[in-house]
Amino acid sequence: MTVLEDRIAMAESDNPITLDSLFERLEKMPVPEGYKVEIVEGTISMSPQRDTHWDIILDVVEQLRTKYPRQRVKSDVRIDYPGRLNGFATDVTVVAEGAEKTAGGQWRHEDVEFTAEVISKGTATNDYGPKRIAYATAEVAVYLIVDPYQGKCHLFTQPKDGDYTCETTVTFGADLDMTTTPLGLTLKTDEFPRD
């Protein structure tokens, strides 16, 4: 079956499109190595992993690991969020203590306490827009955007009515105080590289 025939069959079927069916199709596609794939509001997004991107992710994970066990810190793991067809592979996620996977083998968004996204040129619109709204709707207590193009971190807290009511911004080099959030730690940004 060609890609066109597959699309026509999907459009003509009585079965609604689900995140599972979209991800099943993605698994059959030749996604280039080194690319991250996620679905944001029903749109498939692929972005290449860059050194800068990975260096920041690793730095955040290493700092989180000073407080959290490895089993609670995740990276690039699919979690479905509220909204229309939102299956994200967040750069960094912390799940609640005692969180368990569903019968389908996925983490539940209700168990997510922290998410962090490192901006890529192709993902910035999603990270600042629909993903921020989805995380707030899911009541993720702490959402961090690390933007190597701006050289800034944007910390969003206090989710309410589908958005965050508090935003703190620091420039790379300054400490990001998250001691008043459920994370209870300070994030060092002095080694975050810029793009």
Side-chain angles (χ1 to χ4, degrees):
M1 184 178 276
T2 68
V3 173
L4 180 57
E5 290 169 330
D6 190 38
R7 287 184 185 163
I8 291 169
M10 189 168 86
E12 291 175 347
S13 75
D14 291 334
N15 298 332
I17 297 172
T18 65
L19 281 171
D20 287 338
S21 68
L22 287 172
F23 277 108
E24 283 173 20
R25 290 173 186 277
L26 283 170
E27 288 174 7
K28 295 174 186 174
M29 293 175 60
V31 176
E33 188 162 332
Y35 276 72
K36 172 175 141 176
V37 179
E38 55 189 358
I39 301 170
V40 180
E41 296 185 325
T43 301
I44 297 168
S45 173
M46 288 194 305
S47 57
Q49 298 287 13
R50 301 170 340 279
D51 281 347
T52 298
H53 194 258
W54 172 242
D55 288 344
I56 293 171
I57 290 170
L58 186 58
D59 196 342
V60 171
V61 167
E62 287 174 341
Q63 291 185 63
L64 289 171
R65 287 280 295 120
T66 64
K67 181 174 181 177
Y68 295 100
R70 178 174 292 115
Q71 296 80 8
R72 290 186 59 195
V73 180
K74 310 293 174 193
S75 180
D76 288 338
V77 175
R78 174 187 165 190
I79 300 175
D80 298 345
Y81 283 90
R84 182 181 172 277
L85 299 175
N86 285 324
F88 304 158
T90 308
D91 291 328
V92 182
T93 300
V94 173
V95 296
E97 186 173 352
E100 293 184 13
K101 291 182 180 182
T102 66
Q106 294 180 5
W107 296 102
R108 300 171 343 115
H109 68 80
E110 293 90 347
D111 293 327
V112 174
E113 296 181 342
F114 168 82
T115 59
E117 297 285 7
V118 179
I119 296 296
S120 296
K121 287 184 180 178
T123 67
T125 302
N126 286 337
D127 294 336
Y128 282 108
K131 289 177 88 173
R132 188 190 82 236
I133 299 303
Y135 293 140
T137 301
E139 298 185 355
V140 173
V142 183
Y143 173 40
L144 174 65
I145 294 177
V146 181
D147 192 329
Y149 302 100
Q150 294 178 355
K152 294 181 180 180
C153 292
H154 303 274
L155 182 70
F156 298 92
T157 57
Q158 302 175 16
K160 183 178 180 181
D161 299 328
D163 207 350
Y164 288 96
T165 61
C166 185
E167 179 182 354
T168 303
T169 302
V170 299
T171 303
F172 285 10
D175 290 349
L176 180 57
D177 183 0
M178 297 189 291
T179 56
T180 60
T181 74
L183 288 180
L185 55 80
T186 299
L187 187 72
K188 305 279 186 192
T189 69
D190 54 324
E191 294 187 17
F192 287 1
R194 291 188 64 149
D195 249 349

